[in-house]
Amino acid sequence: MNVRYAPLVITAGEPAGIGPELCVQIAAAALNVVVVADKHLLQQRAQQLGIDLKIREWDRAKWEGACAGRLDVIHVPLAVPSVAGELNAANSPYVLETLRRALLGCQSGEFSGMVTAPVHKGIINDAGIPFSGHTEFLAELTQTPQVVMMLAGGGMRVALVTTHMALRDVPDAITVELLARVLRIIHRDLACRFGVAAPRILVAGLNPHAGEGGHMGREEIEVMIPVLDRLRAEGMNVSQPLPADTLFTQHKLSTCDCVLTMYHDQGLPVLKHASFGQGVNITLGLPVIRTSVDHGTALDLAGTGRANSGSLLEAILVAAQMAQFERLSSGPLHERT
Ligand SMILES: NC(=O)C1=CN([C@@H]2O[C@H](COP(=O)(O)OP(=O)(O)OC[C@H]3O[C@@H](n4cnc5c(N)ncnc54)[C@H](O)[C@@H]3O)[C@@H](O)[C@H]2O)C=CC1
Ligand SMILES: NCC(=O)COP(=O)(O)O
């Protein structure tokens, strides 16, 4: 039991998805974590899975560490009972409330970081709430103008310039300013949060063959190369735009600390092919630590007990390592910059 440090907080995510049962599954491991969810939902999923679970309401003053088979829970009530595998838009405000509560706890020092189980982006929008992902939602709540989604797994780190947007909108979104901001955040956070002294970043081109000298698209010449040249002149170790199809070879990966891709499905399929179920999603640039699973709500598995908790456990481990690194450094990142 480790009670010297503030626990991590886990949000259980979409109530009809696998998030609640993953939280139930990891109770056996007695980790230094607190869960934000509806306590009745957790108990019901535990019963469904045949797991003997004790639930105790979180009381910071009485916290004396985790105990195998018990979860410490911050109770946020569902709007309506949830059936595994069946989405209900009435519970979308609940999902967002769990995120708000977890974030508040991180900002106040109650928790050392937050780990998120998957939410269902579609049903939140169906509820009339514009929502594209935790990454953007947490950036908005913390008034952080720029954050970066980075996933780690299979021995690689893959970051994205654009996240949840239609492919049609991607080329116009990749501007000189955005690319520079994203690269600066990756450079800073790899150094300050992960101890990578001089991060080496390989940058994927947007177009096939990185534009083939302008014959297959001009974004590399007109937008990317000028930014990359400028950042290199400032001392950052960033490549030229590289053809994305050969960027993920073992040889190339062994020469870098992170690959920067231009859009969601340029980078993430590669990473998930290498490590699905063990990968971790990390939001760089936030004033708090936030990691997440590499998978979605898996409605097809919800309630069956067949969901794998590997990625959630990795996400907890990475958040704990980041928190430890922060303690050994000089405090929260946002207070150091
Ligand atoms: N961090 C988050 O909140 C994320 C949320 N999502 C959301 O999840 C929803 C569903 O997305 P999909 O693309 O269908 O991806 P998904 O990851 O939910 O499912 C893809 C496939 O992987 C399987 N799978 C997923 N997690 C698993 C686990 N832990 N153990 C065993 N098998 C697992 C599923 O059964 C399914 O066959 C969408 O609304 C999406 O926006 C997707 C990715 C991340
Ligand atoms: N594909 C990754 C993903 O959708 C996770 O997004 P977020 O909810 O962490 O922003």
Side-chain angles (χ1 to χ4, degrees):
M1 267 194 321
N2 184 351
V3 290
R4 284 167 58 209
Y5 306 123
L8 294 168
V9 63
I10 304 179
T11 52
E14 164 55 45
I18 58 174
E21 68 202 67
L22 293 180
C23 294
V24 168
Q25 283 176 28
I26 64 162
L31 301 167
N32 191 26
V33 299
V34 170
V35 175
V36 191
D38 183 303
K39 61 183 179 183
H40 307 296
L41 168 73
L42 294 172
Q43 195 56 263
Q44 190 266 327
R45 290 289 188 277
Q47 273 162 14
Q48 200 167 357
L49 269 54
I51 294 174
D52 187 19
L53 177 72
K54 288 193 179 47
I55 288 183
R56 191 173 70 165
E57 290 222 26
W58 162 244
D59 181 343
R60 189 181 185 181
K62 294 188 185 151
W63 176 242
E64 38 183 53
C67 173
R70 188 191 76 205
L71 277 184
D72 286 78
V73 174
I74 296 171
H75 175 60
V76 175
L78 285 168
V80 292
S82 174
V83 178
E86 293 179 22
L87 294 170
N88 189 331
N91 281 325
S92 293
Y94 152 86
V95 171
L96 299 184
E97 189 49 35
T98 63
L99 294 176
R100 284 194 200 92
R101 175 62 184 89
L103 177 64
L104 270 180
C106 292
Q107 289 171 319
S108 71
E110 181 183 12
F111 304 118
S112 56
M114 64 189 283
V115 179
T116 57
V119 299
H120 195 283
K121 298 168 179 64
I123 197 70
I124 299 173
N125 283 280
D126 289 347
I129 307 166
F131 179 88
S132 53
H134 290 94
T135 308
E136 300 85 352
F137 185 69
L138 294 172
E140 193 183 319
L141 286 185
T142 56
Q143 297 178 316
T144 310
Q146 185 69 52
V147 295
V148 177
M149 186 189 295
M150 181 181 84
L151 274 82
M156 61 184 124
R157 298 188 187 98
V158 176
L160 316 179
V161 176
T162 58
T163 52
H164 297 117
M165 67 166 59
L167 191 52
R168 173 186 294 280
D169 299 330
V170 165
D172 288 341
I174 301 173
T175 60
V176 166
E177 294 74 27
L178 176 64
L179 195 51
R181 283 200 305 268
V182 165
L183 279 160
R184 286 185 206 285
I185 289 172
I186 298 170
H187 181 83
R188 183 196 65 181
D189 276 26
L190 284 184
C192 297
R193 290 200 188 277
F194 294 88
V196 182
R200 300 160 300 171
I201 306 170
L202 294 185
V203 181
L206 173 68
N207 296 295
H209 306 180
E212 193 81 32
H215 296 288
M216 293 184 192
R218 295 197 54 80
E219 284 83 357
E220 287 79 5
I221 292 172
E222 289 170 8
V223 178
M224 299 181 69
I225 292 174
V227 180
L228 297 169
D229 285 349
R230 197 174 82 214
L231 295 179
R232 215 174 295 113
E234 289 176 17
M236 280 173 57
N237 190 338
V238 292
S239 72
Q240 290 293 24
L242 297 168
D245 61 345
T246 49
L247 183 45
F248 291 95
T249 55
Q250 283 311 323
H251 168 67
K252 282 252 171 38
L253 290 173
S254 69
T255 67
C256 76
D257 300 298
C258 183
V259 174
L260 178 62
T261 57
M262 295 300 110
Y263 55 93
H264 191 276
D265 286 0
Q266 185 180 46
L268 296 192
V270 181
L271 187 126
K272 293 194 182 188
H273 175 69
S275 65
F276 191 56
Q278 303 294 323
V280 180
N281 176 353
I282 303 142
T283 311
L284 305 181
L286 272 183
V288 300
I289 292 170
R290 181 262 169 164
T291 67
S292 188
V293 292
D294 66 356
H295 55 78
T297 48
L299 297 174
D300 53 330
L301 293 184
T304 67
R306 288 191 283 119
N308 185 328
S309 58
S311 176
L312 180 59
L313 288 168
E314 280 297 317
I316 292 169
L317 181 67
V318 170
Q321 286 168 342
M322 290 172 74
Q324 173 73 351
F325 192 79
E326 192 167 272
R327 281 188 289 269
L328 296 175
S329 314
S330 40
L333 183 60
H334 64 283
E335 288 175 12
R336 278 184 274 147
T337 51

